[in-house]
Amino acid sequence: MEASWRQVAGGRGRARGRATAAPSSGNGVHLRGAGGGREKGSVGAAGPGPSPGGAATAAAAGSSARRSPSGPGAPQPSAANAELMSQRKFEEIKKANQAAAKKLVEEHFSSSSEEEGDEDFEGKQGKIVANTFITYTTQTDGDIRELERTKQYVNEAFQAGAMTCLICIASVKRNQAVWSCSGCFCIFHMPCIQKWAKDSQFLISSPLTDDDFGKRDYSWPCPKCRFEYKRSDTPSRYYCYCGKIEDPPLDPWLVPHSCGQVCEREFKPPCGHKCLLLCHPGPCPPCPKMVTTTCYCKKAKPIPRRCSAKEWSCQLPCGRKLLCGQHKCENPCHAGSCPPCPRVSRQKCVCGKQVAERSCASPLWHCDQVCGKTLPCGNHTCERVCHVGVCGECPRSGKRFCPCQKSKFSLPCTEDVPTCGDSCDKVLECGIHRCSQRCHRGPCETCRQEVEKQCRCGKHTKRMPCHKPYLCETKCVKMRDCQKHQCRRKCCPGNCPPCDQNCGRTLGCRNHKCPSVCHRGSCYPCPETVDVKCSCGNTKVTVPCGRERTTRPPKCKEQCSRPPTCHHTSQEKHRCHFGSCPPCHQPCQKVLEKCGHLCPAPCHDQALIKQTGRHQPTGPWEQPSEPAFIQTALPCPPCQVPIPMECLGKHEVSPLPCHAVGPYSCKRVCGRTLGCQNHTCMKECHKVTEVDASTGKNKAGPECLQCEEGCSKSRPPGCPHPCVLPCHPGECPPCVQMLRIKCHCKITSLYVECRKITTADVNEKNLLSCCKNQCPKELPCGHRCKEMCHPGECPFNCNQKVKLRCPCKRIKKELQCNKVRENQISIECDTTCKEMKRKASEIKEAEAKAALEEEKRRQQAELEAFENRLKGRRKKNRKRDEVAVELTLWQKYRYCLLPLGAVVVLVFAWYIAYDVD
């Protein structure tokens, strides 16, 4: 089955003509190669699982296919070949990962993100740029105005989204190829400017014929400044600003699109020095080199100055002689030629007839009178207006021609030239026919011959007077150079004029229309700029028109100048912002009507309140709308100024909020002493009317409780009876009730007045508690006490006779109890007693020995029975193998004899004890 699957896979691989490797786990890399598809045994898709040979390139796959055929019995590739394939696969995966990492880094440092921190630029980067350009003004006469343009370009290079391509109206990213115009230094995307140059050259060369195309070097203009570039200047490669490095690498620590090297471009105007800044956008700043130069008038001593400001004025009078030759220049030291003399003097005109006050700088002037001098002929005067030099010969002297210029006459200047009588024969205004009149003075008449005239466009003919032009009514249908509008001019000879309509197309900014005449190709970028301002308008950012929609307003550092919307005269200080101002958090400070205090709560003139009573949903299918909030003024909260107030019972003085000032209960117990002088009022703090002010605050008033309890004063020690009077002041009366008490012996009950017991001392109490009978208590020895009823322990002085025995209970004697208790007398056993003890011990030893022998016999019988069972006898004969063991009388009846013996010993001991008594 596997072999057939491999053959099918190999056939498919041959049909496709390429080798495809199975994707390796975890990287998803597919390696494809061409070749080896036609040969037998291609390994394009061999095997259901990954193998070292499956990831080979096309060449390896083709060579392996030629060397070994596929099939179940084909030999496997060698270990060296498999290792080589694995190494190649590893290298390809490594290159793919490096390319992905590089792309990620480029996207990370791209300036297309509009979320980059503008505040960071205003901080660190802004200080770096300022410190870079301040060195140009630290020495004599540095001109900071010339640096603003360069500084603006450097700032825009750092700011995210500040550089905009005017062709596509999109931001210029850090990792995009760009081109900078050498005239206006505007930056464009490389593809955009290349397309612009190509389209411009095509539009200029399109009206020409195929023979002329390509023979001339057509220029193309910059989209912004219209600076002309030759065809050879069309950008084809991406260079840094200074033009030294091709494809400058992306470096986050450098200005975008900069190589990081010294600029070294020639200054404009050239001064012999080169720019010392690092590769930067925009024009180079003024030359910062120091040179020693003198002033314009050369009077002051040479001083060191910046090369860009090496020409300077000492402000002393110039003193050079003016063009009038009479006065000297009084202006301060200046550059160039001296101005004309500003003084006024009386001067004659050229002809000398008039005298007028005129500027000394223009001594030659002409009046408006005719010269009037007599000419050399003596008959005529000069008709020229005030002039310089001689008047010249008389214009009517010498030989003169007739009006038709065919005959010449020599006449005095006083006579006019006559007509010759010949035909005029001058070419008329039509340029075709000649004048047929006789020689005459004045202009020839209009040509009146009728001719067959063709209209200007050449489509119609008509017979008409020669002097009249013939224009037909046919309108030209040719397209003008804009290729959008027809000529529509009547009787057009073919040289259609340029289109005089406005283009009117919407520019890329989508705000303005093209103001140029109708043209072909793309319109020039919008030249306008828009100021994106903050809310107050004090801070603004100038951006190309069309970028104001995507440019965030600048962050203004000015304070918000909007008038407050609450009752305060001024609002809290906060920076300029869009939208409504934040809620006012100043104290309200309104005067409360009830108490006159100032409201200390935060301002509540514009509090957000959830709107109630809105539209209710008609059913579960209608989704509830979000809650709406409205701004409304809330009343001032209750006054919380603490006012000290005393409670009703005058227990404490507590600060109460001003709005809650009034009689109040502190919730404590009243605590005033009642009339019984023993208890206090247990009511909650209440109002008390003081009857007598001299008694103080502890005296109960009529509003307090009346004591209804019994007397609770402590009774005398030993008196269990309560006082018979209600709660009263002072001491309780003596108790006269009879008290039942027990005597000392606890047998007889005695009745005694309570006051006698409570007032008696110890001896009297002992006498009152004595019943006068014998004490029934037993002494430790077991005999009765002989004393009369008494308190405490009985005295130990028992003199009663008791019987005393020896240890074996055989010998007995009568002695006094107190002596026996004190171990003063003892009875020892004699020889007879010892002999009886010995016999008893021998009997016990014999019984123990007999029991031991009996136990041994029983164990021997059990052992023999066990051995008989092990010999394999049948179960029915086991009874015969058992040995009957006869028990002794002691073993049979020991459980009965032991209790009976114990009873006999007890009876014997009792008999001995009572026999001694």
Side-chain angles (χ1 to χ4, degrees):
M1 186 68 182
E2 183 178 355
S4 62
W5 189 90
R6 291 178 182 232
Q7 292 175 359
V8 173
R12 291 178 181 175
R14 291 189 298 271
R16 284 193 299 267
R18 62 172 177 259
T20 304
S24 60
S25 60
N27 50 30
V29 177
H30 296 267
L31 305 178
R32 298 177 181 269
R38 295 182 180 179
E39 298 192 19
K40 184 178 180 181
S42 174
V43 293
S51 63
T57 59
S63 61
S64 61
R66 296 185 192 92
R67 288 194 300 267
S68 59
S70 62
Q76 297 297 327
S78 62
N81 191 17
E83 184 178 358
L84 179 60
M85 293 178 182
S86 301
Q87 185 66 23
R88 290 178 179 176
K89 182 178 180 182
F90 175 78
E91 293 296 334
E92 292 183 1
I93 296 174
K94 181 180 178 181
K95 291 180 180 179
N97 292 339
Q98 290 177 352
K102 182 178 180 181
K103 182 179 180 181
L104 179 63
V105 171
E106 291 178 355
E107 293 178 354
H108 178 72
F109 290 110
S110 174
S111 63
S112 62
S113 176
E114 296 294 340
E115 301 298 329
E116 291 186 9
D118 294 337
E119 295 181 357
D120 294 342
F121 173 78
E122 294 178 0
K124 296 181 180 179
Q125 294 180 352
K127 292 180 180 179
I128 293 173
V129 174
N131 293 335
T132 301
F133 290 103
I134 199 173
T135 58
Y136 282 78
T137 59
T138 53
Q139 298 190 20
T140 307
D141 291 335
D143 190 2
I144 194 172
R145 293 176 298 176
E146 298 294 334
L147 299 173
E148 291 300 325
R149 191 178 180 190
T150 305
K151 186 176 180 180
Q152 178 184 359
Y153 276 93
V154 175
N155 288 344
E156 291 179 354
F158 278 117
Q159 286 179 325
M163 291 195 299
T164 305
C165 177
L166 296 180
I167 298 176
C168 62
I169 314 297
S171 298
V172 178
K173 301 180 181 180
R174 294 172 180 259
N175 57 347
Q176 292 178 334
V178 296
W179 175 82
S180 177
C181 176
S182 59
C184 62
F185 302 98
C186 187
I187 296 177
F188 304 93
H189 291 126
M190 182 65 72
C192 295
I193 196 62
Q194 289 175 343
K195 184 177 183 299
W196 176 272
K198 183 179 179 180
D199 293 345
S200 300
Q201 294 171 7
F202 175 76
L203 293 177
I204 295 174
S205 60
S206 58
L208 303 178
T209 61
D210 295 340
D211 297 335
D212 296 334
F213 185 79
K215 295 182 179 180
R216 296 177 57 188
D217 189 6
Y218 300 103
S219 61
W220 55 274
C222 170
K224 183 178 181 181
C225 66
R226 310 296 195 269
F227 184 81
E228 295 290 337
Y229 289 93
K230 298 180 180 179
R231 181 193 295 269
S232 58
D233 295 335
T234 304
S236 59
R237 296 184 180 276
Y238 168 42
Y239 288 93
C240 62
Y241 297 114
C242 63
K244 296 178 181 178
I245 302 300
E246 182 181 352
D247 294 330
L250 178 64
D251 192 341
W253 302 104
L254 295 177
V255 178
H257 318 292
S258 172
C259 63
Q261 301 182 18
V262 179
C263 178
E264 294 184 347
R265 286 185 286 183
E266 294 287 344
F267 286 111
K268 294 181 181 180
C271 62
H273 303 128
K274 295 183 179 180
C275 180
L276 300 179
L277 290 179
L278 299 183
C279 182
H280 61 88
C284 295
C287 181
K289 290 287 186 177
M290 299 299 296
V291 294
T292 303
T293 59
T294 184
C295 63
Y296 296 112
C297 64
K298 312 298 181 182
K299 294 180 181 179
K301 293 182 179 180
I303 60 174
R305 292 179 61 85
R306 295 279 186 185
C307 181
S308 58
K310 60 184 177 182
E311 297 180 352
W312 60 286
S313 172
C314 64
Q315 300 301 320
L316 296 176
C318 178
R320 285 183 286 185
K321 187 169 286 190
L322 299 177
L323 295 177
C324 65
Q326 299 178 3
H327 307 102
K328 292 184 178 181
C329 181
E330 298 178 355
N331 292 337
C333 178
H334 60 84
S337 301
C338 295
C341 183
R343 296 189 179 187
V344 177
S345 61
R346 294 181 64 83
Q347 299 177 7
K348 292 182 179 182
C349 65
V350 175
C351 64
K353 292 182 178 181
Q354 292 185 2
V355 179
E357 289 187 355
R358 297 181 56 83
S359 173
C360 189
S362 55
L364 298 178
W365 64 285
H366 300 267
C367 64
D368 55 354
Q369 295 184 7
V370 179
C371 178
K373 293 180 182 180
T374 303
L375 297 176
C377 66
N379 298 322
H380 302 94
T381 57
C382 181
E383 297 179 357
R384 294 169 60 188
V385 182
C386 179
H387 62 86
V388 181
V390 295
C391 296
E393 297 292 333
C394 179
R396 297 171 63 88
S397 62
K399 292 183 178 182
R400 290 177 287 172
F401 286 95
C402 65
C404 67
Q405 303 294 322
K406 292 182 178 179
S407 301
K408 185 181 293 185
F409 299 91
S410 296
L411 297 174
C413 64
T414 56
E415 296 182 8
D416 293 332
V417 178
T419 58
C420 64
D422 197 358
S423 60
C424 178
D425 205 26
K426 290 182 181 178
V427 179
L428 299 178
E429 292 181 355
C430 65
I432 301 175
H433 303 101
R434 294 180 178 272
C435 180
S436 59
Q437 294 182 358
R438 295 285 181 179
C439 178
H440 60 87
R441 292 182 176 88
C444 299
E445 64 179 3
T446 306
C447 183
R448 300 184 180 275
Q449 296 188 24
E450 288 190 358
V451 294
E452 190 78 17
K453 298 192 71 172
Q454 191 176 19
C455 66
R456 189 169 54 184
C457 64
K459 294 183 179 179
H460 304 280
T461 58
K462 184 178 181 181
R463 192 168 185 81
M464 59 186 302
C466 183
H467 70 277
K468 291 185 179 180
Y470 175 39
L471 300 178
C472 66
E473 298 295 325
T474 304
K475 293 183 179 180
C476 181
V477 296
K478 290 183 179 180
M479 300 299 292
R480 297 194 179 187
D481 56 351
C482 65
Q483 298 298 321
K484 294 181 181 179
H485 303 102
Q486 291 181 347
C487 176
R488 306 302 294 171
R489 190 174 59 163
K490 291 183 179 180
C491 197
C492 179
N495 54 344
C496 300
C499 185
D500 55 353
Q501 299 186 28
N502 289 333
C503 177
R505 285 186 293 180
T506 303
L507 299 178
C509 63
R510 299 183 182 179
N511 295 329
H512 305 96
K513 293 185 178 180
C514 182
S516 304
V517 295
C518 191
H519 59 86
R520 288 187 295 172
S522 302
C523 298
Y524 280 96
C526 181
E528 302 292 333
T529 57
V530 180
D531 292 339
V532 180
K533 299 181 179 180
C534 63
S535 179
C536 66
N538 293 333
T539 306
K540 62 181 180 180
V541 176
T542 303
V543 297
C545 183
R547 288 286 294 177
E548 68 275 5
R549 301 183 185 90
T550 58
T551 302
R552 291 182 297 177
K555 293 186 178 180
C556 182
K557 295 183 179 180
E558 301 292 333
Q559 298 294 333
C560 180
S561 59
R562 298 181 186 177
T565 56
C566 57
H567 65 278
H568 292 101
T569 57
S570 62
Q571 59 180 349
E572 293 178 306
K573 291 184 178 181
H574 59 279
R575 290 189 176 181
C576 173
H577 61 89
F578 289 93
S580 58
C581 292
C584 180
H585 297 287
Q586 301 181 70
C588 178
Q589 296 298 313
K590 287 183 179 179
V591 179
L592 301 178
E593 297 179 357
K594 295 183 179 180
C595 59
H597 294 121
L598 298 179
C599 178
C603 183
H604 45 80
D605 287 352
Q606 290 185 336
L608 289 176
I609 303 299
K610 186 176 181 181
Q611 190 175 6
T612 58
R614 301 186 67 201
H615 172 69
Q616 298 294 332
T618 57
W621 57 86
E622 184 176 353
Q623 296 183 356
S625 59
E626 296 182 357
F629 293 87
I630 57 175
Q631 283 188 344
T632 182
L634 298 179
C636 292
C639 183
Q640 300 293 333
V641 176
I643 304 297
M645 284 294 296
E646 191 175 26
C647 66
L648 294 172
K650 299 181 179 180
H651 301 108
E652 64 178 16
V653 176
S654 298
L656 296 181
C658 181
H659 72 278
V661 168
Y664 76 99
S665 173
C666 64
K667 305 301 180 181
R668 298 181 183 178
V669 178
C670 176
R672 291 177 177 263
T673 305
L674 300 179
C676 64
Q677 302 296 325
N678 297 324
H679 300 93
T680 57
C681 179
M682 301 303 294
K683 288 176 67 177
E684 191 179 274
C685 179
H686 59 90
K687 183 179 180 182
V688 179
T689 303
E690 296 182 0
V691 180
D692 188 2
S694 61
T695 57
K697 299 181 180 180
N698 294 328
K699 184 68 175 178
E703 295 84 358
C704 294
L705 294 174
Q706 298 295 327
C707 185
E708 297 178 356
E709 298 182 5
C711 180
S712 59
K713 292 183 179 180
S714 60
R715 305 298 293 166
C719 178
H721 308 104
C723 181
V724 296
L725 299 178
C727 187
H728 60 88
E731 297 293 335
C732 296
C735 182
V736 294
Q737 295 191 29
M738 298 301 292
L739 184 63
R740 181 181 178 181
I741 62 175
K742 289 288 186 179
C743 63
H744 297 300
C745 56
K746 308 299 182 182
I747 295 176
T748 305
S749 297
L750 303 177
Y751 292 91
V752 185
E753 286 186 0
C754 183
R755 62 181 178 179
K756 291 182 180 180
I757 291 295
T758 55
T759 57
D761 56 7
V762 178
N763 294 330
E764 291 178 353
K765 285 183 179 180
N766 290 336
L767 292 175
L768 292 174
S769 299
C770 182
C771 63
K772 311 298 183 182
N773 296 325
Q774 183 183 356
C775 180
K777 297 178 183 179
E778 288 186 357
L779 297 176
C781 61
H783 302 116
R784 185 176 178 180
C785 180
K786 302 298 183 180
E787 300 291 334
M788 189 175 57
C789 181
H790 60 87
E793 297 292 336
C794 297
F796 188 65
N797 53 358
C798 183
N799 295 324
Q800 193 171 352
K801 297 282 186 165
V802 295
K803 293 181 180 180
L804 187 62
R805 294 177 180 271
C806 67
C808 66
K809 308 299 183 181
R810 192 181 67 80
I811 303 173
K812 63 179 180 179
K813 292 182 180 180
E814 290 185 357
L815 300 172
Q816 289 184 357
C817 181
N818 56 352
K819 293 182 180 181
V820 175
R821 296 289 297 179
E822 294 176 357
N823 294 326
Q824 295 180 358
I825 301 175
S826 61
I827 301 176
E828 300 295 336
C829 293
D830 54 3
T831 308
T832 306
C833 293
K834 293 179 180 180
E835 184 64 25
M836 292 177 64
K837 286 183 180 180
R838 185 182 61 79
K839 291 181 179 181
S841 61
E842 290 178 355
I843 293 173
K844 288 183 179 180
E845 291 177 358
E847 290 178 355
K849 187 176 181 180
L852 182 59
E853 293 178 355
E854 184 68 24
E855 182 67 21
K856 288 182 179 181
R857 286 196 302 271
R858 186 182 62 80
Q859 291 179 357
Q860 183 66 28
E862 289 179 357
L863 179 60
E864 293 177 356
F866 180 73
E867 291 177 353
N868 292 334
R869 284 197 299 273
L870 293 178
K871 290 180 180 180
R873 294 182 179 180
R874 293 183 180 180
K875 197 173 183 180
K876 62 180 179 178
N877 297 327
R878 287 181 182 176
K879 293 184 179 180
R880 288 181 292 180
D881 298 337
E882 294 179 357
V883 178
V885 179
E886 185 178 358
L887 300 177
T888 61
L889 293 176
W890 168 253
Q891 292 177 348
K892 292 180 180 181
Y893 304 105
R894 59 182 175 179
Y895 295 105
C896 297
L897 294 177
L898 288 175
L900 184 61
V903 172
V904 172
V905 171
L906 291 175
V907 172
F908 180 72
W910 178 79
Y911 173 76
I912 293 175
Y914 280 90
D915 189 20
V916 172
D917 294 337

